[in-house]
Amino acid sequence: MAQGKVKERVRGRNNMADPPQYVVVFHNDDVTTMEFVILILITVFFYDESKAVETMLTIHNRGSAAVGKFELDIAQSKAMKVRSLARREGFPLKVTVEEG
């Protein structure tokens, strides 16, 4: 092995692509309370109260809204947690995970 012939690699960002991102989407319904949606946005997605209220109103007025963008396993986990909490409280809140 020749000494002094070591190639130095300058590494910026690695050559691996970032994993695909998925969005968690809340869908409006006529049963789930606005207060419950706000509570979920604060406790599961760590929104502050004003952003939670604004997002809840978007869901209410537009019929749905993306509430977070994550790697697939995290998005699915958060969606399952929301569904579980909603069912426990008797709400039919629809949550989907979509490629984003």
Side-chain angles (χ1 to χ4, degrees):
M1 200 184 290
Q3 291 184 356
K5 300 251 179 175
V6 176
K7 283 189 179 181
E8 225 178 282
R9 288 175 126 183
V10 177
R11 290 186 181 224
R13 190 167 170 96
N14 63 22
N15 292 333
M16 294 178 59
D18 289 335
Q21 298 288 295
Y22 293 81
V23 292
V24 177
V25 179
F26 281 23
H27 301 269
N28 189 46
D29 63 67
D30 294 331
V31 178
T32 306
T33 64
M34 294 178 175
E35 294 78 14
F36 181 76
V37 172
I38 292 168
L39 177 68
I40 293 299
L41 292 171
I42 291 170
T43 59
V44 177
F45 294 89
F46 307 108
Y47 280 29
D48 63 42
E49 188 173 358
S50 63
K51 184 175 178 186
V53 169
E54 179 183 332
T55 303
M56 176 277 300
L57 289 171
T58 299
I59 296 163
H60 179 72
N61 293 323
R62 294 188 183 166
S64 66
V67 299
K69 194 171 195 177
F70 309 95
E71 292 180 20
L72 181 59
D73 58 336
I74 296 170
Q76 289 175 329
S77 176
K78 286 186 178 283
M80 284 192 318
K81 183 171 186 170
V82 170
R83 287 185 201 110
S84 175
L85 292 168
R87 297 310 171 263
R88 188 176 77 196
E89 296 298 319
F91 295 123
L93 179 61
K94 181 179 177 185
V95 180
T96 58
V97 174
E98 303 172 7
E99 195 166 357

